[in-house]
Amino acid sequence: MPQEKRRLRSSHITQGAERAPNRSMFYALGYTEQDFDKPMVGIANGHSTITPCNSGLQKLADAAVAAIAAEGGNPQTFGTPTISDAMAMGTEGMKYSLVSREVIADCVETCVQGQWMDGVLVIGGCDKNMPGGMMGMLRANVPGIFVYGGTILPGRLDGKDLNIVSVFEAVGENAAGRLGNSELKRIELHAIPGPGSCGGMYTANTMSSAFEALGMSLPYSSTMANVHDEKLESAAESARVLMRAIKNDIKPRDIVTRESIENAVSVIMAIGGSTNAVLHFLAIAHAAGVKWTIDDFERVRKKVPVICDLKPSGRYLAVDFHRAGGVPQVMRLLLDAGLLHGDCMTISGRTVAEQLQGVPAELSSDQEVIRSLNNALYAEGHLAILKGNLAPEGCVAKITGLKTPVMTGPARVFDDEQSALAAILAKKIKAGDVMVLRYLGPKGGPGMPEMLAPTGALIGEGLGESVGLITDGRFSGGTWGMVVGHVAPEAAVGGNIALVQEGDSITIDAHQQLLELHVPDSELAHRRESWSPPAPRYTRGVQAKFAQNCSSASTGAVLDNY
């Protein structure tokens, strides 16, 4: 929308008698005549009591409202929904998680455009709040900033840190007979101590870190704990920075470019981030009108090493990462190595290089979370894009923490998550098996649910590295092991994963970037003749709309890729 028209947002409701009803509505909110000359700034508030990830957001929204008002703006708050991935995991509710990304994006776009706002500050906590909020900001393209709700503090039990994945893995240990029921209950009770998003480098912390690298959040803000005072001040400072961006007309699509997305993906590789980042940045690039494909992730992976020792495959949590220097420290190392575009603009009005000038070039000796590039945990990134006859459009494998990311084994085929989990807990899955979980993609799920329950159970059973698991669904950011997700085309549209039969030989080879079903093309053609698509699981409502309109996972599973 032309900026000249943007600048009339406030004045359009004061000109002429025909605008009197507009003014009356604002007077009812307490506006004065002088308020109509101020920018109207939206605060998209994801606060809810549904999940700890979002239960601590209201105080951040309040701080932002106060700061916007103090800076001469008119704050206007509105809500966005959330679905807790951790709480919905393993249930039918998990199928609404990815759908909620689109709902959140629609909420932000609709309110900003419908209420003719001059800028927007989005506050989110749980996984889909971040990409959904960013997509909405990019669609509206008024000055915007993202405020992350903050990470959770670790739970503590018997001198050890706990987090949400500790619980899922404990379930597997319990099923294997290595952990008693009372100990499982103790872990349940102590894993989550209060508000904040899941504490490892899982999806929420991955996306918040990426948004900081993207230039759409303030430095250091992505790794702060929700309960710490600095998070409150960061929310207020974000509001002040947004007010300057409105004055200087710095808009999201000025910041989110191909180069800044590459910066964000470079940081995701360096910190060992979630597989979900692949899906979400394909969608974010689409919303920004930026050309970015699944193959670009592989291009970046090959040049950026993993330098952060973070859970789920490493030792440390986001709060430890923050104390070690956080995203700015990682970005400074990458910038000095020529692995970042330093001339990218940020929401502060400064370039990436300018913003990193005060960050130490050398790592502090009193931390072990971040490593130098010449002492990397892995020489290349961890999110490998595999292709082959099982995934001609591509799929995503997370290969950190594995001694060897190569295996060939017999297929164990499941058409839903629950039967797969039951087989693991019943000890029917053995070392060397390759589990195939299908009809769980964007259309088939629908909603592309995450498979943390089966993968957590495999880890708990001690099978994390010896059993492969491939799916057209997704994985939690807390997942690690011999896992491959986002297989495309998915089973529901006739992808070859739908034709796999029990006992077929499958190879997963991250070195050769290969996912291959060892069945002749002639046999696959014969099987296809007898295959027919399953009936839709939903025929009404949001799930039916998502299944009908979503694109392939290889293009971000978006709803407007026409």
Side-chain angles (χ1 to χ4, degrees):
M1 189 174 297
Q3 185 57 28
E4 296 76 29
K5 199 169 184 180
R6 290 283 184 208
R7 293 303 183 196
L8 297 177
R9 287 176 177 272
S10 298
S11 61
H12 88 283
I13 60 173
T14 67
Q15 297 171 355
E18 71 278 6
R19 296 301 185 185
N22 302 64
R23 293 201 304 271
S24 294
M25 297 296 284
F26 283 97
Y27 290 144
L29 294 171
Y31 277 51
T32 67
E33 288 296 325
Q34 291 73 30
D35 286 324
F36 295 123
D37 294 323
K38 299 175 182 178
M40 295 183 184
V41 184
I43 297 94
N45 183 7
H47 171 81
S48 75
T49 57
I50 288 172
T51 170
C53 305
N54 290 52
S55 65
L57 300 190
Q58 187 59 50
K59 62 182 181 181
L60 306 183
D62 293 342
V65 165
I68 288 168
E71 293 290 314
N74 279 326
Q76 296 181 322
T77 60
F78 61 93
T80 64
T82 197
I83 297 296
S84 170
D85 289 30
M87 296 165 80
M89 200 72 67
T91 74
E92 192 71 7
M94 185 66 225
K95 296 177 180 180
Y96 287 84
S97 171
L98 184 59
V99 174
S100 75
R101 183 191 73 180
E102 303 302 311
V103 176
I104 293 165
D106 289 350
C107 284
V108 173
E109 178 190 6
T110 299
C111 287
V112 170
Q113 299 292 64
Q115 294 301 123
W116 209 233
M117 294 171 181
D118 295 293
V120 62
L121 181 149
V122 180
I123 307 173
C126 202
D127 295 5
K128 306 311 171 295
N129 296 182
M130 267 72 73
M134 186 62 64
M135 291 159 66
M137 282 195 284
L138 286 163
R139 292 180 197 168
N141 202 34
V142 301
I145 193 168
F146 195 93
V147 174
Y148 180 42
T151 189
I152 201 169
L153 295 178
R156 294 286 291 176
L157 181 63
D158 300 332
K160 296 181 180 179
D161 284 349
L162 297 176
N163 63 88
I164 185 61
V165 176
S166 306
V167 182
F168 282 93
E169 293 180 358
V171 170
E173 291 185 66
N174 177 258
R178 296 198 301 271
L179 188 74
N181 291 340
S182 61
E183 282 303 298
L184 174 60
K185 186 65 176 180
R186 291 179 72 219
I187 291 171
E188 259 191 318
L189 290 171
H190 290 86
I192 309 297
S197 297
C198 297
M201 193 46 67
Y202 311 143
T203 302
N205 285 323
T206 296
M207 296 306 297
S208 68
S209 298
F211 285 2
E212 186 178 323
L214 191 66
M216 288 294 291
S217 293
L218 297 188
Y220 300 102
S221 66
S222 66
T223 50
M224 295 173 178
N226 175 267
V227 297
H228 289 165
D229 289 344
E230 63 177 349
K231 185 74 254 185
L232 206 61
E233 174 51 35
S234 178
E237 179 60 19
S238 296
R240 291 188 282 267
V241 169
L242 175 59
M243 290 298 291
R244 293 195 291 272
I246 292 171
K247 180 179 179 180
N248 296 320
D249 192 29
I250 301 174
K251 299 186 291 295
R253 289 187 215 163
D254 300 327
I255 297 169
V256 181
T257 63
R258 181 172 171 83
E259 290 74 24
S260 69
I261 290 176
E262 184 164 320
N263 284 350
V265 173
S266 295
V267 167
I268 290 165
M269 295 295 178
I271 63 179
S274 167
T275 53
N276 284 309
V278 175
L279 190 76
H280 296 327
F281 266 94
L282 288 168
I284 288 166
H286 175 72
V290 171
K291 183 180 179 182
W292 187 268
T293 71
I294 195 168
D295 295 322
D296 286 311
F297 291 94
E298 186 63 27
R299 175 177 57 83
V300 175
R301 183 186 77 84
K302 289 181 177 178
K303 64 180 182 178
V304 178
V306 180
I307 59 172
C308 294
D309 190 2
L310 294 167
K311 289 183 180 295
S313 58
R315 293 179 291 168
Y316 296 103
L317 295 168
V319 289
D320 305 308
F321 182 39
H322 186 64
R323 285 191 290 267
V327 171
Q329 184 64 79
V330 169
M331 292 183 70
R332 177 61 192 266
L333 298 178
L334 296 178
L335 180 69
D336 290 350
L339 296 173
L340 284 188
H341 299 281
D343 57 348
C344 287
M345 178 61 65
T346 71
I347 188 61
S348 70
R350 295 179 292 169
T351 66
V352 166
E354 290 169 343
Q355 203 151 260
L356 295 175
Q357 283 180 351
V359 178
E362 300 295 330
L363 291 169
S364 171
S365 60
D366 63 354
Q367 63 85 34
E368 297 181 342
V369 183
I370 307 171
R371 297 191 181 192
S372 63
L373 272 71
N374 59 15
N375 186 35
L377 276 82
Y378 304 94
E380 295 181 339
H382 63 301
L383 299 180
I385 304 301
L386 313 185
K387 293 188 177 181
N389 69 349
L390 258 183
E393 291 181 13
C395 58
V396 185
K398 190 174 186 180
I399 59 177
T400 42
L402 297 175
K403 295 182 179 67
T404 172
V406 179
M407 74 174 296
T408 297
R412 303 297 308 280
V413 182
F414 303 90
D415 288 348
D416 59 74
E417 177 188 2
Q418 288 71 30
S419 60
L421 178 61
I424 297 168
L425 297 179
K427 304 186 188 306
K428 295 180 179 179
I429 303 300
K430 307 299 181 185
D433 287 344
V434 178
M435 299 182 71
V436 178
L437 280 64
R438 64 191 181 189
Y439 296 106
L440 294 164
K443 291 182 179 294
M448 206 178 178
E450 293 178 350
M451 301 293 109
L452 181 56
T455 58
L458 286 173
I459 298 295
E461 290 272 7
L463 298 172
E465 294 198 56
S466 59
V467 168
L469 192 155
I470 70 172
T471 180
D472 49 9
R474 297 183 294 124
F475 292 113
S476 164
T479 293
W480 72 277
M482 197 66 177
V483 297
V484 181
H486 308 198
V487 170
E490 62 175 290
V493 299
N496 282 346
I497 189 172
L499 308 179
V500 180
Q501 294 182 0
E502 189 82 7
D504 285 348
S505 178
I506 294 175
T507 291
I508 304 169
D509 190 335
H511 293 320
Q512 296 188 61
Q513 298 161 240
L514 182 68
L515 182 65
E516 192 75 9
L517 174 64
H518 299 293
V519 173
D521 290 345
S522 57
E523 172 60 18
L524 290 177
H526 175 70
R527 294 180 187 181
R528 186 172 298 282
E529 289 176 359
S530 59
W531 177 85
S532 59
R537 297 178 187 269
Y538 291 84
T539 57
R540 293 288 187 274
V542 67
Q543 286 283 16
K545 288 188 287 186
F546 187 89
Q548 181 68 29
N549 292 292
C550 66
S551 71
S552 168
S554 64
T555 56
V558 297
L559 300 185
D560 59 349
N561 190 12
Y562 304 119

